[in-house]
Amino acid sequence: MGRAGGASIAVDVSPRRRVVVDVILLLMRNGRILLRERANTGYGDGAYEPPSGELADRETIVETAIRVAAAAGIVIGAENVSLAHVMHDVSGSGRIAFYLSVSGWPGRPTPADVRWFPVGDLPTNMLDRARVALRNYADGMRFSTYPAFVPAGTGGTSGFHAVNGSPTESFAESNGINGIFGAGESHGSNGVLEAKGFTSRNGSRGRREEACSGRIGG
């Protein structure tokens, strides 16, 4: 309540909305992607996703990326990361995930809960939102929502595509893949997508085979 000229005025102050920010690393090598098995989180435990961590107070996204990489036994710096995709997850209380591609990283991951998977043959028990984000990124989207949001009357997709240059092209050039994410979805429990790998909506089998022909070193 506030006072003006002796009269009481009700002041309606809405609480600030707090959104969790996730930082997720795309670590690629020789046509494979590094995934971590979730455990003791209460959500999607036993499912796979790329190494990730929540943004801490007074921490930058790059600092979080360095921390997440260190937990996976990998040492990186700011020069090793670049923005790949942003996903707004509105399926729960609200999360924003920054997917960062990592290049030029040395060493070998050491934790027991991380494994390499061929990009065209991902685990069936992969976290749904992670699979969708990777597929959207391979489709050339800079930003997407989860679940997919399509404005009425637009007939569009669930996100914004790149205007100058496709992220898919950059992804293919740096990691030797293109058109490898996306189809054949069936949803399981705890937000886990039960599917065998995925391919880009715009990718063909011939392009996938050509792209996965081993252009990465390491």
Side-chain angles (χ1 to χ4, degrees), residues 51-107:
S52 65
E54 291 185 8
L55 185 72
D57 289 340
R58 298 184 179 278
E59 189 176 54
T60 68
I61 290 174
V62 171
E63 288 171 338
T64 304
I66 293 173
R67 173 168 57 83
V68 170
I74 297 169
V75 178
I76 64 172
E79 69 279 4
N80 297 113
V81 298
S82 59
L83 181 62
H85 187 76
V86 178
M87 170 174 275
H88 185 194
D89 181 359
V90 295
S91 63
S93 58
R95 310 178 75 94
I96 294 180
F98 288 84
Y99 285 79
L100 305 180
S101 60
V102 185
S103 61
W105 50 277

Side-chain angles (χ1 to χ4, degrees), residues 83-86 135-144 157-171 202:
L83 181 62
H85 187 76
V86 178
R135 184 193 63 197
N136 289 342
Y137 171 55
D139 278 346
M141 295 182 187
R142 295 290 193 188
F143 169 82
S144 64
T157 63
S158 61
F160 299 126
H161 285 75
V163 176
N164 296 315
S166 166
T168 310
E169 295 171 358
S170 174
F171 202 35
N202 300 320

Side-chain angles (χ1 to χ4, degrees), residues 175-192:
N175 296 303
I177 60 174
N178 190 12
I180 57 171
F181 301 111
E185 302 172 357
S186 61
H187 293 268
S189 60
N190 296 326
V192 179

Side-chain angles (χ1 to χ4, degrees), residues 13-19:
V13 179
S14 300
R16 291 185 178 182
R17 179 174 178 79
R18 296 184 180 276
V19 178

